[in-house]
Amino acid sequence: MNPHVTRRAMLKRLVVGAGGAAVANFGGLFNSQTIADEVRRSGKRCILLWANGGASQIDTFDMKPGQPTAGPFRPINTNLAGLQICEYLPRMARHADKLAVIRSMHTSEPDHPGGIYLMHTGYRPAVAVSHPELGAMTAKYCGSLDSDLPDFIRMGSTGNGGAGYLGPLYQPFGLDRNGRLSQFASSGSTPEAVRRRADLLRFVEESSAREHRAEPFQAHRLAQERAWRLQRTRNVFNIDQEWARARERYGDTGFGRNCFMARKLIEAGVAFVEVGQENYDSHADNFVCHKANMNILDPAWSGLLDDLHERGLLRNTLMIWMGEVGRTPGINNRVGRDHFVRGWTVVLAGGGVRGGTVYGATNPNGNGVRDNPVTEGDLFATIYTALGINPRVRHFVGTRPIWATPEGARVVREVLA
Amino acid sequence: MRLRPCAMVGLMALVAGPALLAAQEPPLRQRIDAELRAAWQREKLTPAPRADDAAFLRRIYLDLAGTIPSYEEAKQFLADTDADRRTKLIDKLLADPRFAAHQAQVWDLVFFGRNPPNGDATRKRDGFRKWLAEQFAKEVSYDRWVRGLLLAEEGDTGLFYVQYRSRIEETTVAVSRIFMGTQLQCARCHDHPYEPVTQRDFYGMAGFFARLTFSENAGGKQRRYTVGEKSTGEVLFSGSAKEQRPGKKGDPVKPKFLGGPPLDEPPLPKDFKEPKAPAKPLFSRKEKFVAWLTAPDNPYFTKAVANRVWAQFMGRGQVHPVDDLSDKNTPTHPELFQAMTRALAEHKRDLKWFIREIVNTDAYQLASTGKDADPLPPYYERARVRPLSAEEMVAALREGTGTNAANRLAGKPAPEGATSEYMARYFGEPTNGRGDFQASLQAHLFMNNSGNIRQMLYQRKGSLSDELAKSKAPWPDKVDRLFLTVLTRLPRPEERERFVAFLTSEPRADQLIQDAIWALVNCAEFRFNH
């Protein structure tokens, strides 16, 4: 018998959960893609704050006072004994006990497109396989296709990998620059007209469903229902009134507003939200750039942490702050810092994370990792573990098995709760 | 012990000789149906009934011409009472220029996928597709056009190699996967874990491509590539991935045919110096490889294409997936697989002949409806259900909304904006890694709400909404026309009744007509070839 028939037959009876355990499937499943959806959900969520261009570790969370490359920013104490961070992150300094700072990132793609892909998928770009982004993987294993909202929503400059081999069900859903629903999300017709033609389409589907029962027909009909459900959620995206009150907490910036939107979406049950912040690629005027960026980042990030915490959402929401690269300790002749991948910083917080942790260290001048290097694969294995996703969960591209993280990736248990 | 299929083919050919066998055997289409029926009996499966004429009509148009029939074509065929009407329609479509263009589109996707590497060079492939379409239009046999493609000396054929350029490992994986149905990528870094393919076999194959060169002539829109070949250059093999060390260079590996002998290569003349831009090498490895690949006795070539083309029309390869013809992955119908591979070889690998045999079978012409939800029944007891490709969606939308008809009347096409690009983005890869269909939210939002689709529904002289709005025919007749134009079938009685009620629910029907077309182009029945 054809082994692939066996596989399909097996999938119909068994649902293999993220943890690798087999769960009996009693529902009348129509489609193998939806099997993941039937797996018991962990309730985990994830927010990625993306520092597009690559933030400077020395000017934020891995300061080197006294070194020739230290730059003009001063370190300040945090609420975690022994941890100092940049003076322009004063509000975050009060949240240090919630953070796990990984200071020993050693990654393998020093430029933007490759680095953006790498730090969204855990893999270097490859010709033969397109890997899914973290958001797509989270959508698959933590999302719910029954939800009115997409499971993977993003704003601003973000990833370039999309859903990869996981397929269109887990494709990122982009909001426009202002965090509003983008083109095609609405027909522009009156609700009455929309309902009228929707009723007609539903009638056609019901009529044809009696004859056409193959899985793809059903998948199509469900996706159509999802498109309509999205229309019902329009008010989730309408935050103008609430923003008037929240802007003080998040800072009155576009990024702050998008972070507030992220909170609304997480609260509404979205599994993964990514918010991009621009302008970190400071090959010139590094300190001007970073000061301005931190003035935006500090209230937005800390406001989001406060907000999630107060609502009891932080427990189940993993927050990640990272970009595609770090920046050189050396300051170039344009007062800039260039790309650097041999010792940089990523910060985790919230669900699954052991707050108040500093993991790994760069050497005194910041020119490399001194202790406990963490690769992109290690980071992704750690992130997936925090989200309750098996880092070795396996998918197939054609006949070829692909794992969620590269072979040999190590979970950094020290930063996990 | 059962002989493996490839060994059998060779053996039979030796014993009997192709001409003799051809004279004794019934047409392939009969053999296919007999073998499938035997398997249904064995597996206790009840086949679906024969598809009705309307279902057959839509399916054969999409499969052979890449679009749905026009209203007139549909009306004409459904009124035809000739007992041979299906066979005649098949012959007509196989001779239609749309057949060649559609096959070119299908194979172009096989060669490049939706996101080929080296995108700057490979994004524009009109010339490549044109060359492919010419091969189908001129009925060039498969082995001959593959030879042309891999020699890469005419037209834009070089683009196939250009996507990988000097990454010859990728070239090796692609060539063996596509033309030999063989998965070599595992053996790139280590000996294959489950197959008798070693890393040395992989680099032996890679050696054939090691000397390809690429030169770019002209830039911008005129950019063309010339693929050349040097007389020197070797693949270096430095052991398994585990044994890699920085600075370790590796040993040169001589080219070796997969499962065959090493290449017999004359030594280079003493003191040979590679010219700067070699047009032709002293000895071409590429030519030797292509000759070996396309030879009648190549153990991989013919069965790989037989399986691929079978799957194109029947949904699932007898070996599935189509590019994994290993000993572990046995065909569902081993005798049939041998028979069709042999027959295709005897017919000089004429794909049009092969396609004609397949679509004339009873099995191809079964209904796709039934209780079972599997879109690709492994025993072919129902017709397969597959999504329309992005290109087929665009073509079917243009036909089904009367955009083609309106364009003909206007003498020029209406501006389309980025419809094709959007469709490729949202409908281009509607599957997970395993080929199972997935529907995306964005695809639905685009179909539901975009101006690109909406403008196809507008009243323009000759468009479907215009024809329906202006027609003086009674409403039930207009609803018949609507269904026949968009879904290539007449409405069921309850559908006719509901649509008449809908279209007459307001004094002015113009917007309602557009809504009714909208509902039909958005329904699942339109989305799939079934």
Side-chain angles (χ1 to χ4, degrees), chain A residues 8 126 157 209 245 269 282 416:
Chain A
R8 177 179 285 281
S157 282
R245 291 193 305 279
S282 49
L416 296 181

Side-chain angles (χ1 to χ4, degrees), chain A residues 1-5 7-8 12 30-33 126-128 149-150 164-174 183-188 193-194 196-201 203-205 207-208 210-221 223-224 226-228 230-231 394 396-401, chain B residues 117 164 167 170 183 185 316 318-321 323-324 328-330 332 368-375 378 382 385 422 426 429-434 436-442 444-446 448-452 454 492 494-495 498-499 502 506 511-512 515-516 518-520 522-525 527-528 530:
Chain A
M1 182 147 169
N2 186 323
H4 294 275
V5 179
R7 181 191 66 86
R8 177 179 285 281
K12 283 197 167 150
F30 46 84
N31 192 323
S32 58
Q33 278 94 48
V127 172
L149 287 161
Y165 59 70
L166 292 184
L169 269 183
Y170 307 103
Q171 217 34 266
F173 186 80
Q183 59 177 154
F184 310 145
S186 157
S187 66
V194 169
R196 186 179 64 190
R197 69 182 199 181
D199 284 349
L200 190 67
L201 176 50
F203 165 81
V204 172
E205 292 295 13
S207 166
S208 94
R210 270 172 255 141
E211 271 189 29
H212 297 288
R213 299 190 195 176
E215 287 166 3
F217 285 91
Q218 192 60 5
H220 176 96
R221 291 171 193 134
Q224 180 60 60
R226 214 166 182 214
W228 280 320
L230 183 69
Q231 316 278 332
R394 193 175 61 160
F396 283 89
V397 175
T399 61
R400 178 176 176 181
Chain B
Y164 306 112
R167 288 179 298 201
E170 304 292 348
Q183 301 275 335
Q185 76 266 352
R316 177 190 285 274
Q318 290 187 34
V319 178
H320 184 77
D323 46 17
D324 191 17
K328 297 270 184 321
N329 205 0
T330 51
T332 44
S368 65
T369 50
K371 286 204 302 289
D372 190 13
D374 192 338
R382 279 182 300 113
V385 173
Y422 278 126
Y426 296 130
E429 286 181 294
T431 67
N432 62 3
R434 269 270 152 109
D436 302 314
F437 175 77
Q438 278 190 353
S440 86
L441 180 62
Q442 281 93 334
H444 280 268
L445 292 175
F446 177 78
N448 289 175
N449 299 328
S450 72
N452 306 67
R454 202 179 316 132
R492 301 178 192 102
E494 69 273 17
E495 287 169 334
R498 171 73 194 251
F499 271 72
F502 179 85
E506 285 179 10
Q511 185 55 46
L512 295 171
D515 286 349
W518 177 92
L520 293 189
N522 273 286
C523 78
E525 217 180 307
R527 178 74 186 90
F528 300 102
H530 43 79

Side-chain angles (χ1 to χ4, degrees), chain A residues 140-141 165 390-396 401-404, chain B residues 194:
Chain A
K140 174 161 182 178
Y141 288 102
Y165 59 70
N390 176 2
R392 292 300 287 167
V393 67
R394 193 175 61 160
H395 298 87
F396 283 89
I402 306 282
W403 289 266
Chain B
Y194 319 119

Side-chain angles (χ1 to χ4, degrees), chain B residues 145-156:
Chain B
W145 71 252
V146 169
R147 186 182 149 76
L149 177 81
L150 291 180
L151 289 179
E153 284 160 359
E154 32 181 302
D156 280 351

Side-chain angles (χ1 to χ4, degrees), chain A residues 358-378:
Chain A
V358 178
Y359 183 83
T362 46
N363 49 34
N365 60 17
N367 266 333
V369 173
R370 191 189 66 197
D371 300 326
N372 300 324
V374 177
T375 66
E376 62 272 4
D378 300 341

